[in-house]
């Protein structure tokens, strides 16, 4: 089998496709619009990953899944968390497929295992074959088995960095509900400045400045995202963070057009 190489890995944030203040609150209009933008961009060799938003995060938090298996009562929580992610994924797949995109859903909990929260074994032969045939794989943050913890939560952000390196992607496009990376959370600090260009060094410095999210986000919010992106950027992969709630920004980023947001380069 020839080793596929992708152009772009696109992460659609849970903050875009769900209302993170609610629970199981899907934004179906947003999901449809983004599916349309993906279809319109006709991007070859694209992998899409979506986040958990108000589907995965509240359940994962309720049952303390990220910290691993501690008691029997968490198991039903693991099932529920994975299940609600398949429901959200179903909505994303519905929109993509009915827009004529040859998308194929790949379930992380069925093909990968982590060790202490980090991806260890990924049975990626089907994913690579799908890519070789011109399909667009769609993955998501999920509840997964872990060799040390029993189980844990895998973030979509870890997946995009891993896949970008494994599939030698040129860039990662991350769609969130704010205009990019700011000096501090723009939702709580209206004077915060947008950081339009960042290097790995800047990212590392930001890691110490940004605080942990206060919401139900179990995978670390913007700080978690930045931490996960460092290895990919270090290998020369460009990261573009855009506001995917604004129409056409995902489309423009996929086309490689200049787009407002944060661009992160190696140096
Ligand atoms: P999910 O994990 O559900 O997929 P997501 O990837 O869309 O969600 P979050 O993890 O919620 O996104 O991170 C985006 C949020 O991070 C924004 O809504 C913003 O309020 C918050 N945030 C915190 N600090 C910053 C910062 N310095 N710059 C930009 N956003 C920040
Ligand atoms: O939203 C987490 O993925 P993320 C998924 O990309 C779950 O961090 C199940 C909470």
């Amino acid at each position: 089998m020839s080793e596929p190489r992708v152009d772009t890995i696109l992460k659609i944030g849970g903050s875009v496709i769900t209302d993170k203040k609610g629970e199981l609150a899907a934004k179906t209009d947003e999901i449809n619009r983004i599916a349309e933008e993906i279809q319109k961009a006709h991007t070859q060799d694209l992998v899409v990953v979506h986040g958990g938003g108000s589907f995965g995060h509240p359940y994962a938090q309720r049952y303390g899944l990220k910290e691993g298996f501690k008691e029997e009562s968490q198991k039903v929580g693991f099932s529920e968390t994975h299940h609600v992610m398949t429901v959200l994924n179903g909505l994303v797949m519905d929109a993509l497929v009915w827009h004529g995109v040859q998308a194929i859903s790949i379930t992380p909990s069925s093909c990968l295992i982590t060790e202490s929260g980090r991806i260890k074994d990924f049975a990626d032969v089907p994913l690579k074959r799908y890519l070789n045939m011109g399909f667009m794989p769609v993955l998501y943050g999920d509840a997964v088995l872990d060799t040390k913890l029993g189980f844990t939560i895998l973030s979509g952000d870890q997946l995009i960095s891993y896949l970008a390196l494994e599939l030698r992607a040129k860039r990662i496009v991350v769609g969130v509900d704010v205009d990019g990376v700011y000096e501090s959370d723009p939702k709580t600090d209206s004077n915060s400045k947008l950081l339009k260009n960042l290097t790995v060094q800047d990212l590392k410095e930001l890691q110490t400045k940004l605080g942990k999210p206060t919401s139900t986000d179990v995978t670390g919010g913007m700080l978690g995202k930045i931490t996960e992106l460092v290895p990919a950027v270090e290998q020369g992969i460009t990261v573009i963070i855009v506001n995917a709630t604004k129409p056409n920004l995902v489309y423009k980023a996929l086309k490689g057009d200049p787009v407002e947001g944060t661009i992160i380069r190696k140096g």
Side-chain angles (χ1 to χ4, degrees):
M1 180 178 71
S2 67
E3 283 294 311
R5 187 170 188 161
V6 300
D7 187 75
T8 308
I9 309 281
L10 169 66
K11 161 103 193 269
I12 309 169
S15 64
V16 178
I17 56 175
T18 74
D19 176 0
K20 287 185 81 157
K21 288 200 237 47
E23 195 167 306
L24 302 180
K27 292 187 171 172
T28 46
D29 289 349
E30 294 291 286
I31 294 173
N32 272 310
R33 178 182 54 75
I34 287 166
E36 206 175 303
E37 290 184 29
I38 291 171
Q39 187 275 329
K40 205 169 61 169
H42 292 296
T43 318
Q44 286 295 306
D45 306 321
L46 175 68
V47 176
V48 173
V49 175
H50 67 79
S54 68
F55 281 67
H57 288 284
Y59 286 83
Q61 189 185 52
R62 193 166 302 147
Y63 293 98
L65 299 185
K66 186 150 192 346
E67 295 70 36
F69 172 66
K70 295 195 176 77
E71 52 186 77
E72 282 298 311
S73 62
Q74 286 175 300
K75 286 186 182 167
V76 73
F78 183 90
S79 300
E80 285 176 15
T81 306
H82 167 67
H83 176 65
V84 295
M85 285 309 301
T86 68
V87 173
L88 180 60
N89 179 248
L91 297 175
V92 172
M93 294 307 297
D94 226 25
L96 287 168
V97 170
W98 301 127
H99 275 93
V101 179
Q102 45 203 43
I104 182 81
S105 174
I106 295 191
T107 303
S109 58
S110 302
C111 62
L112 75 78
I113 295 180
T114 55
E115 184 161 283
S116 303
R118 310 306 302 170
I119 295 171
K120 183 173 159 60
D121 290 321
F122 191 163
D124 60 6
V125 174
L127 179 138
K128 288 180 173 171
R129 279 197 185 262
Y130 279 124
L131 277 169
N132 281 341
M133 284 194 74
F135 285 97
M136 191 190 87
V138 180
L139 299 90
Y140 46 95
D142 203 357
V144 297
L145 292 171
D146 187 285
T147 56
K148 296 265 159 66
L149 300 168
F151 51 58
T152 191
I153 295 296
L154 170 73
S155 74
D157 297 322
Q158 186 182 156
L159 261 178
I160 54 174
S161 205
Y162 177 93
L163 289 170
L165 290 167
E166 181 65 25
L167 302 170
R168 296 166 295 154
K170 291 198 194 97
R171 65 207 171 123
I172 297 174
V173 174
V174 182
V176 286
D177 67 340
V178 291
D179 287 344
V181 181
Y182 286 75
E183 285 171 332
S184 57
D185 188 345
K187 285 189 186 152
T188 51
D189 176 5
S190 55
N191 294 321
S192 186
K193 239 181 61 204
L194 177 65
L195 304 166
K196 292 189 176 172
N197 286 287
L198 293 173
T199 62
V200 177
Q201 192 49 40
D202 298 330
L203 277 194
K204 288 181 178 166
E205 283 164 23
L206 260 177
Q207 278 178 286
T208 52
K209 279 195 214 150
L210 295 182
K212 289 213 158 47
T214 48
S215 66
T216 56
D217 197 300
V218 298
T219 50
M222 190 51 82
L223 173 64
K225 206 176 292 306
I226 284 174
T227 306
E228 290 297 353
L229 290 171
V230 168
V233 180
E234 275 176 339
Q235 292 306 310
I237 297 165
T238 301
V239 175
I240 305 154
I241 303 185
V242 297
N243 190 335
T245 70
K246 293 188 173 169
N248 279 322
L249 292 199
V250 167
Y251 168 74
K252 280 192 196 164
L254 290 179
K255 294 297 277 181
D257 293 345
V259 61
E260 66 187 76
T262 299
I263 300 196
I264 312 169
R265 293 191 183 89
K266 191 174 175 185

